[in-house]
Amino acid sequence: RLASAKKSENDPGPSTSTGSQSMSDRKQKLLALAPKLPFDVDLYHWEDDKLPVPTMIPNSTEGHRFWLGSESCMDELPVPEGSAALRTRVIEFTGSFSPVSHSCRVRLPSGKLCPRRDRLKCPFHGEIVPRDENGVCIDPKDAMRLQRLQEKRQQEKPDWQDPKLLAEIKRTTGIDLKMPEKGKRKKRKKEYPGLTDLKKIENTVTKRLESKIFKKSVMRKVSSAMDRIDQRKFQDKYGDQFQYFYNS
């Protein structure tokens, strides 16, 4: 018994170095996966259970930085977002852009292929499917499916578009009620083909660009977009400073 007691006193017990090493390895792996964020107000108040509503003193409306009139109000005003402003952080995520490598490639009436590079659907020719250099579908299943869709669209014409009925109406009333077919445009005949159009002479590239760029609606859109960009920059840089917060 004495020998066993001495042995137990001299024996330090099971080593915990392997356990701590495994914990450190696991911690390093988790730290490698964890996102890295710069220190900000939300991390400063991360462990606070109850946060007071932040307040700010309004800036002087008289335009001076230090001097305030006797009638000026020095009451502190609460921040509109309240205590949630100390826990939130706005991070703009744009995502990863993958460029479009395919094109529509539908045979046009001119003999060329449609060069539009839409991701899923062409606004003129519908769903984009793989096609060869001649504009023919590579997969026969896609060709059959597109043909079925086209036939279905052609069958959806109303009953009053019957050619015999339209011919009879045109014979009696002289009005052609035939609906124009998609993809086909009627050529407009000139009323006076032998005269020179003065408006067409003034229709230059510069005039067309000026009419589009300096249009009131376009200028309004550009100004609103620039205001949004300036406001975002202002909020990012000076949003937490009281002298800018209520004077904006």
Side-chain angles (χ1 to χ4, degrees):
R1 290 181 180 178
L2 292 173
S4 62
K6 290 180 180 179
K7 186 177 180 181
S8 62
E9 289 177 359
N10 296 328
D11 191 7
S15 177
T16 59
S17 60
T18 56
S20 61
Q21 186 177 1
S22 62
M23 287 291 291
S24 63
D25 294 341
R26 182 172 177 273
K27 186 176 180 181
Q28 290 178 0
K29 291 180 180 179
L30 292 175
L31 288 175
L33 295 174
K36 297 180 181 180
L37 295 176
F39 187 79
D40 206 347
V41 182
D42 57 342
L43 296 180
Y44 182 79
H45 297 285
W46 182 266
E47 297 180 351
D48 296 342
D49 295 332
K50 295 182 180 180
L51 290 177
V53 178
T55 58
M56 290 187 178
I57 300 175
N59 196 8
S60 173
T61 57
E62 299 178 1
H64 201 275
R65 294 177 59 189
F66 307 108
W67 181 81
L68 296 175
S70 59
E71 298 179 357
S72 62
C73 181
M74 291 295 294
D75 296 336
E76 294 184 357
L77 298 177
V79 176
E81 297 180 359
S83 59
L86 302 177
R87 294 187 182 275
T88 57
R89 182 189 300 197
V90 179
I91 300 175
E92 296 181 359
F93 176 72
T94 57
S96 57
F97 174 74
S98 57
V100 180
S101 59
H102 56 269
S103 58
C104 180
R105 300 177 70 87
V106 173
R107 178 71 64 180
L108 299 175
S110 61
K112 299 180 180 180
L113 301 180
C114 179
R116 285 191 62 93
R117 289 181 174 270
D118 298 283
R119 193 171 296 276
L120 298 175
K121 186 177 180 181
C122 177
F124 302 106
H125 307 108
E127 183 183 355
I128 296 177
V129 295
R131 297 176 183 268
D132 57 6
E133 297 178 354
N134 299 322
V136 182
C137 295
I138 297 175
D139 192 355
K141 295 181 180 179
D142 293 336
M144 293 175 63
R145 181 164 50 82
L146 294 176
Q147 187 176 1
R148 273 192 248 106
L149 287 174
Q150 188 175 2
E151 292 176 355
K152 186 178 179 181
R153 290 173 185 170
Q154 291 178 356
Q155 292 175 1
E156 289 178 353
K157 290 184 178 180
D159 298 334
W160 58 273
Q161 283 292 308
D162 186 14
K164 295 182 179 179
L165 179 61
L166 292 175
E168 186 177 353
I169 293 173
K170 186 176 181 180
R171 194 183 311 112
T172 54
T173 61
I175 301 173
D176 188 9
L177 298 178
K178 186 178 180 181
M179 295 176 61
E181 297 180 4
K182 292 184 178 180
K184 294 183 179 180
R185 297 181 181 178
K186 292 184 178 180
K187 292 184 179 180
R188 188 176 180 182
K189 295 182 180 180
K190 293 183 178 180
E191 190 174 358
Y192 304 103
L195 299 179
T196 303
D197 191 1
L198 297 177
K199 294 182 180 179
K200 193 173 182 180
I201 297 175
E202 297 179 357
N203 188 17
T204 59
V205 179
T206 307
K207 293 288 185 181
R208 290 197 298 270
L209 288 175
E210 287 179 355
S211 62
K212 291 182 179 180
I213 295 174
F214 298 108
K215 197 176 179 181
K216 288 185 178 180
S217 59
V218 176
M219 298 290 288
R220 200 179 301 115
K221 288 180 182 178
V222 172
S223 62
S224 61
M226 293 179 69
D227 290 342
R228 283 197 301 270
I229 294 171
D230 293 340
Q231 188 176 5
R232 187 179 299 172
K233 289 181 180 179
F234 173 83
Q235 187 67 24
D236 292 342
K237 291 184 178 180
Y238 309 109
D240 296 332
Q241 300 184 16
F242 71 93
Q243 64 265 33
Y244 294 100
F245 191 84
Y246 286 100
N247 199 22
S248 59

